[in-house]
Structure formats: structure tokens, C-alpha cells
Amino acid sequence: MIVVENLVKEFRVPEREEGLSGSLRTLLTRRYRTVRAVDGVSFDIPAGSRTAYLGANGAGKSTTVKMLTGVMTPTSGHCLVNGLEPYRNRRRTARRIGVVFGQRSQLWWDLSVPDSFRILRRIHDIPDAVYQRNLRLFRELLDIDALATTAVRQLSLGQRMRAEIAASLLHDPEVLFWDEPTIGLDMVLQEAVRELVNRVNRELGTTVLLTSHDLADITSICDTALVVDHGRVIYQGRIDQLLSTAGQRCVIFEYRGGPSPEAVAAEVEHALPGTRVRLDGQRVRIDHPVGLLSSREVLSFLLERVDLTECYVPEPDLGTVLKELYTRNGHRGRAPGGAA
Amino acid sequence: MNPLRPAFRYTPFVTGSLQSLLRYRSMFAISAVTAAASAAMMIFLWRAVHSSSPDGPPGGFDTAELTTYLLVAQILGLLHANRVDDEVSAEVYRGHVAAMLLKPVSYPAVRAFACLPVIGTNALFAGLPVLLLFALLVPLNVPRPVDALLFAVSAVLSAAVAYLVNLLVGMAAFVTTNTWGIRLMKQTVVAFFSGQMVPVGLMPDALAAVTRLLPFHTMVDSPLTLLLGRYDGVPGILGVLGLQLLWTAVMCAVAALVWRFAVRRLEVLGG
Amino acid sequence: MREFLRHARLAWYLGGIGLQRLMTYRADFALGAGAFLVRVGVQTAVVGVIFQFTPAVGGWTLHEMVFLLGFSLLPRSLDRLFTDQLWELGRRLVQQGEFYRYLIRPVNPLFALLSERFFHPDGFGELLVGAALVAWAGHHLDLELTPAQWLAAAVLVFLGALIHMSVKLLFASLSFWTVTSFPAMHAANQISEFAAYPLEILHPVMRAFTTWCLPFAFTAYVPCTYLLSGDAGLVVWTPVVTAAALAVSLTVWHRGLATYEMTGS
């Protein structure tokens, strides 16, 4: 569905000099420096998948999405969406994709949301049945009727995002490009948005490409991750498999009676080499490396020694896994996550 | 304590504004082109009137004087283009003014200090080149040194009046969203009643009387009266400068009143 | 052809929305139209003052000059009615990263851009005042136009509007490279006001400039010379000049689209 080959985007940015004297100098002579925002990326995303596009800050995620939506033209290389080069076939591509750029509105600023939708319906030639079905869906999940007569510019960020998300889905697009779609939404609405996108993916086979700061968005919307670092794809595959590559696991438990937490900690660290124990009141957390121990070994050790009352074996955290992934690829000191 | 200390609080606004100005160097070239084109248009128009006027030179202006008047009027216009109306209305619209109230500085003073570099750079990078260009092309009136000095004083006062007019226009954003319409209206009214399009001395009596009742003629006609020596001795000078001072004071008072009203409204309604 | 019809239907629909919006923002409409009335009033006043001193400027009488002033408003207002959104392009759409929305809609990007402000209210006031001035001056000049001339006048107004649009589009498109091009647009707009004056009074260099570089002469001066004196010397060039202006500005616009860099995240 989406094919990217050796995609490169370079920007020319003026060098700024510090302070007032610097400004005076740049008034006369101005130097530019070329920044490579996307550095020869190649990947392939199959139809119907829900993919999270991940990478450290500055990995060029937003820039790539902008080229995939036809908004920007690549410096070299190319990409295909549905067999078309988007920046060469903007109009035909636009019929088939839905776009949300969370920071920038695509709605009509001084019209109400229903008015904006009526215009979109005309522009996209949306058949009546589809339009009504989608409106029903948005009513049910996003409560868009509550936005009725207010001009878009007077909506709160969260209200506007609901309208943006609905607008991107109105014409039953084949591919959704969502860049930070849940900023400003509260927990309930985030849940509704996830439900919405999962439903269209299930029922219409819509392909989804998502970037987000919110790791919860990623894990609940997407089944696939595409991790890019320094222009190279360093991981592409199922998210659950990515999580299982975590080098560290942990077990958290509480217990009744028996030895003091400090004593338990000392005993665990002695008997199970390589583990690290942290105490938080009555709660004990054991971090252990995957290669040496399995969760089963840790648990059976605990069941024998203490009277367990509560026990959690959480799935590895995506943020931590990503951090490990970047470090393994010789990349330090950068924040992980979905930042743009 | 240093009595100038409070003023230093505003220096970051001055340098900040200057830095952001210098980033857009093409802006000066374009301002200069705009001013030069408008000046040329006005000069050619009035020269055509001059050459075909059967009753001799109108209003007692000879060609050089008329040319000087129209050219310097446009250059003064560059000193008045301080963008205060633009920035104030934009900040009101986006609700930034409310945030400004939290800082230990006065918002109108911030805007005044921030517009100083705009005026300075406009004069230096747009006004001066235009003046030199025209000096090469057309005969201009060379003022007496004392008149040039009086003009400099009067030009400063005219810039103060222009700042106050723009501040008031910018604050109109508290009551309407179409600040663009108000700005256009102001631009037209100022261009006409300041004398930029028709020197006040050439207006028919009734129109000239109305013009002298409005503050705008102190922005262009007053400095030019002094520059061209079209005054009557020391009382004449004092009359021109006194009127400028009076209007500066009146506009200051009006701006302060409107500002206080706006702040109260902000405090009640919130940003 | 099918695409053209689709755009025409959309234009009709969006025009209706524009009118509807005009009713919603009545105060803004009044302010905008009022501002233009004041401006035309001032321009007329300048002409009035000038003719206190002289019976003719550059060979043009008072009524001829009012005719010229009024006529210059017609193409200008027609242009403003439909392409005012170009000012937003030059001012902030590129700078604030909002321009992308015209590229993700299945319609021509230029159409998508302009359609956001179809029937811009400020144009109406100018159109009415321009027509009134032309009618008044024409009456005093005992102007009798043949049906062919009426037709020519309508075509010339339309071509003049296209020239205004081309120049505006050209300067607005510069923002794709310079992020904001509002000052340049403003400068061009200032020069367009020359069109309301007889070009005889200008220096030959400036005359050539407004005729062949930024061809505003063809929006008012040239058509009025033809309508008032029947002199068809330059007016036959109007379609050629309009086509050239459109070609240049559309080329720059398309180049701009290709280099567009949507800033920010």
C-alpha cells in the first residue's frame, strides 16, 4: 500500500548568529546550511495494517508523512501510496487518503463543524449513504453534535481535534495518515478515537500510519511498528514481538508476614544472580535480565519463600524497549518515543 | 537608586524587536520601493498640476518646495509605519495581552520601546536611501540648518503621535475582529488628513479648517512647515511645536483611558 | 471537461457559503466596505482638490479623471471578490504551516485556496462605488457607447481583474520561498493604484514599467483611453498582456508548490 524507496528530504536553513551583533552581521551576509531531515529511508507497509511510525526526535517522521500525503516533494528518491506518487498526483491521492496534522487545522476557520463537513462532502463527492453512516459513527463515538453551531476558531483544542479526526475519515479513505491525532483529548475521548480507528480498520480494511507522542495511543491503535533512526529502518514488525525483545523483565509483588522486605531483597539478589530489587513500602520490585532468568523461575522462587498477596508481571514498557533499541544501534542521549 | 533603572527593564524588548527586524532584510528594500513609488506618483501628479495651472504656482509653493514636501511626507510615513497597530491587534486577538499583564512591565510602554528600533531601522535603511535617490533625480529645497533642527524635533513628536494613533487603532481589536478594515480606514484617513496626498496649504479653506482640527496634520504637515520655513518667526515655531505637544498629551490621556478600560474588561472576562 | 464542470458546481456552492458567511459577519462586512468607501472618497477628494488649480491634468479633464478612477475600481473589485485569500497566502499561510490543507483536497490547489473567500464582502462596496462614479462621469461626458464598445468594456474589466489576480498571485507565491511576502504584495498593490491616474503625467520609465512590467496600465488607463477617445492603439494588446501575466504567475505558483516546505512538526 505504501512503498518508500531511498527517500531523501533536505532543507536549507539560514545560520543564525547569537546576539545583536550577530543579527547585524547576518543582515549583510547570510549563510545557509543544508539539513537532511530524511536520509534515504526505504520501507514497505502492507494494506490493512495499523503501523506506528516511531523514531527519536529528528528522525524525520513528520517530514516523511508530509511527503506521503503529497504536501511536500522529496529531494530525491520516491514514495508510492496506492501505486501513485502523492506529490505528483495530489488530487487523485487526496481522494484516497485521510490526514490529520494534530498541530494544524484543516477545517474552515470561521465556519461551524457541520458546515465544514458539508463542504468536504461536496469536495470529495461523498455518496449520501456513506456520509450518513459516517456521521452516525462520529455521533456515537466522538459526540460531534455537541460542536454544532460554534465556529471552528472558537472551539477548544480537544473539540477541534474531534472534528479534525472526523474530517479525516469522512470520505472513507483507504489510507489514514495521523500525525499526533490525540493532543488535547481527554482519556475518554482518546479511548473513543482508538475504538473508531480500530473499527474502520476492521470493517473497511483502512491502512493506518500513525505518529504520536502518546505510547498508549501506539500500543492500543497499532499492531505494527516501524522504527527509524538516522534514516535507517531499525525495526519493522509486530509490536508484541518488539516488546518481547526487551532485555529486562520485572516482577512486582506484595506479601504477608514472613521476613522483612530488606531481608527478602537480600535473599533474592543472593539466590537469583543478576537481579536488582527495589523496595516501595510493602511492595517489592524485581528486575531481571531475560537471558539468565525467566519470569517463571522468579515466580516459583517467590512462591516457595514468601506468602504472596499480590503479584504483577507487566508487559515491558514500549518506551524502555525503544530506548534499548536505539542504544543497541549505537545511538545515545536522545529521547525515545514518538516525538516529531 | 538609578532613576533610569525602570527603563532598563524595557531594553530586552528593544533589542529583541531589533533582532527580529534584521532577520527580514528584504523588508527594508520593499518599504523603500513602496515609499519611493508613492512619492514619485504624488510628485508627478502635483508637477502636472503645477505645469498646467493658469494662476501660477498653487499655494505659493515653487516646484522644489512642493517636491520636497511630498517626498519628505512619504519618508515621515516610513517613521510612522511602526507596526504597533498590527502587533497590538494580533496580540489582543490571540489573547497574548492577558499574559503580558502578568509581567512587571506596562504593555503600552513595551510596545513603545519595541517600536523604537522599527522607526530607527526604517529611517536608516529605507528613508535615507529614498531621500538620496530623489536628491539625485529631482531638485529639492535645501533647508536652513535651524529649520532642519526644528524639523528633527518636530519629526520626533510626529512619531510619538503616530505611535499613539496606532496604539489606539490596535486596541480596537478588543471590540471587533475585523481589525484589518479599521487599519485600512486609519491608513487612508491619516494619509489624507496628515497632508501626505494634498499639502494642507493647498486644501480648500473649509477642508483645511477641518484638517487643522484633527490630530493627523501634526504628523506630516507640522514638521514640513518647519522644514520649509513656512512659519512666522519664533511665535510661529512655538505654535507648531506647541500644537504637536498638545496633541501628544491629549492622545496619551485617551490611550491611557482606553487601556485602563480594556484591562478592566480583560480582568472581568479573562483572556 | 468533467473536472471543469465539477469545479464550476463547487464554485457555485462555495460562493453560496461565502454569501451566507457574509450575513453572519455583518459588522465585519460593514467595516470592510466602509473602509473602501472612505478610500474612494479620499481619492475622489484628491482629484477634486487638484482641479481647483487646473482645468486639465495631463490632458484629462475632471470628468475624464473621475471616469478613470471609477473604472479602475471595477476590475480591482471583481478581483477582490474572488481572490482575496491570496493575501492570506502571502501573509501567514506558509509562515504558520497552514497551507498544506489545500494540498490534501481532491480539487485544484489554487481553487481550494481561493474558494475559502469567495464573495469577499469588501469587494462589493468598491464595485458599487466604481459603477456609480463611471455612470456619473459618463453622463457628464455625454458618453455614447456602441453595443460593441459595451461588450469590449465588459471584456476589458474581466481581463483587468485577471491582471490584478496574476500580479497578486505572483507576489503571494513568493512566500513559498521567503515564508512571508506580505510587504512585496503591499508594494505591488500600492503601484496598482497608479492605474487610477493618467499615465501621461508619469516619467516615461515609470510609464513603461506600469505598462509592460507590472501591467496595471491595462486595467484602467488603456481601456479608458479607448472608451473615451476611441484610440485603440494599445487596447488590442490587452488579451496578450493578460495571457502573459497569467502564464508567468501560474508558472511561479506551480514552482512554489513543488518547493513548499511545511514548517514545524
Side-chain angles (χ1 to χ4, degrees), chain A residues 9-11 62 66 69-73 90-91 94-95 99 101 103-108 110-111 115 118-120 122-125 151 153 179 340, chain C residues 3 6-7 9-10 13-14 17 20-21 25 92 96-98 100-101 103-109 112 115-116 257-265:
Chain A
K9 182 71 189 178
E10 288 175 344
F11 296 109
S62 279
K66 284 165 194 168
T69 51
V71 170
M72 291 201 304
T73 312
R90 287 204 184 91
R91 257 186 269 172
R95 285 179 182 283
V99 180
F101 286 114
Q103 320 278 352
R104 312 254 189 268
S105 178
Q106 59 166 303
L107 299 166
W108 282 258
D110 48 10
L111 295 181
D115 280 342
R118 274 193 280 276
I119 297 179
L120 282 173
R122 294 288 186 125
I123 286 183
H124 281 281
D125 295 320
R153 64 187 162 87
D179 190 11
Chain C
E3 274 296 284
R6 195 170 86 87
H7 279 76
R9 269 201 309 276
L10 267 177
Y13 174 73
L14 292 164
I17 296 220
Q20 197 183 317
R21 178 165 30 182
Y25 295 90
R92 48 161 261 263
Q96 302 187 356
E98 292 175 29
Y100 83 93
R101 63 173 179 255
L103 298 175
I104 57 161
R105 290 176 185 161
V107 287
N108 180 302
S115 72
E116 263 183 40
L257 287 186
T259 54
Y260 174 57
E261 288 172 4
M262 181 179 169
T263 50
S265 52

Side-chain angles (χ1 to χ4, degrees), chain C residues 51 77 93 154 161 206 244:
Chain C
F51 280 90
S77 60
L93 288 174
M206 289 174 73

